[in-house]
Amino acid sequence: MRLAGFVHRDISPGNCLMYERQIKISDLEYARRYESQGKGLAPLTGTPGFMAIEYQRSRHLFLGKAEDRDVLQDLEADYDLTMSDAPDSWFQYNFLHDLEAVVWLYTWHLLDTLPDCLRADDITKLRKGIKRLRDELFDGSLTGSPGRIEFITDLARDVKSSYEAATDMLKEFTGKQMPRRLQKV
């Protein structure tokens, strides 16, 4: 959808279908062309437990640093999009929010599915903790719980530090820098 210039705006378990071992996204009623969303806040659409935190809060939380905005500008140049030049008070749903919905979908699945290798007494011990975490992350509110914000912020920080470590390791082993565009991710 991103390559075609669309955002889905409601990626959730009920909108993902499995066909011949491939996931297909359905229910395109909220899908919009990226550039046709307008310059203002539209009513929240989608399934609350799988909405991106920024979308729930109607403000950008992860594009505050200049280098983060540079990354977005590089992506926008490839897809003829315009968002990072907007004032901080302006918010628009973008394809990264659809990607975060996939992260929430995966997290929900992990918390909803206990591995077969666990013994019955292990499952009993885990159920309370898993239920508490699932209730905190998927509370159904439109504004998102503090636990959701902390979870996704920590995850973003971990991904960024892992990426930086991997690029440092690559440079050490190959003696080459990453291409300029990949250095910023």
Side-chain angles (χ1 to χ4, degrees):
M1 290 190 71
R2 181 184 77 140
L3 293 176
F6 281 83
V7 288
H8 188 278
R9 302 188 322 153
D10 190 18
I11 294 178
S12 61
N15 294 336
C16 295
L17 309 171
M18 173 92 59
Y19 178 73
E20 293 184 1
R21 301 182 56 95
Q22 289 186 344
I23 302 287
K24 305 287 183 178
I25 297 173
S26 66
D27 198 4
L28 303 176
E29 71 183 276
Y30 297 128
R32 298 285 182 269
R33 281 201 162 281
Y34 182 86
E35 64 273 1
S36 72
Q37 294 184 81
K39 296 191 188 273
L41 295 175
L44 290 177
T45 57
T47 308
F50 302 93
M51 289 178 179
I53 292 296
E54 291 184 332
Y55 184 50
Q56 288 181 316
R57 297 294 171 109
S58 297
R59 64 186 170 97
H60 296 288
L61 303 172
F62 300 106
L63 293 174
K65 298 178 184 169
E67 70 260 16
D68 293 337
R69 289 185 183 266
D70 289 345
V71 170
L72 188 60
Q73 285 173 343
D74 285 348
L75 292 170
E76 289 170 344
D78 288 346
Y79 300 102
D80 193 29
L81 306 173
T82 54
M83 186 190 85
S84 59
D85 291 332
D88 289 339
S89 61
W90 181 75
F91 177 82
Q92 183 174 7
Y93 193 98
N94 63 68
F95 61 87
L96 296 173
H97 298 127
D98 277 348
L99 186 58
E100 184 181 328
V102 173
V103 170
W104 288 117
L105 183 64
Y106 183 69
T107 303
W108 174 80
H109 178 72
L110 286 175
L111 293 174
D112 203 51
T113 309
L114 294 174
D116 292 336
C117 63
L118 293 175
R119 297 186 324 249
D121 57 330
D122 292 332
I123 290 173
T124 303
K125 292 175 190 174
L126 287 173
R127 273 189 209 274
K128 287 183 183 177
I130 289 172
K131 181 179 180 341
R132 190 171 47 248
L133 180 58
R134 188 176 57 226
D135 290 348
E136 175 69 18
L137 297 178
F138 300 94
D139 68 349
S141 74
L142 285 175
T143 57
S145 69
R148 275 178 71 84
I149 295 169
E150 181 180 350
F151 179 86
I152 203 69
T153 302
D154 289 349
L155 182 62
R157 187 179 315 113
D158 291 347
V159 167
K160 185 173 183 176
S161 65
S162 296
Y163 179 81
E164 289 169 352
T167 56
D168 290 345
M169 195 180 325
L170 182 66
K171 181 181 176 187
E172 182 180 325
F173 288 120
T174 65
K176 296 180 181 178
Q177 287 275 35
M178 292 290 287
R180 184 183 84 65
R181 290 197 54 206
L182 294 179
Q183 285 177 6
K184 294 182 181 180
V185 174

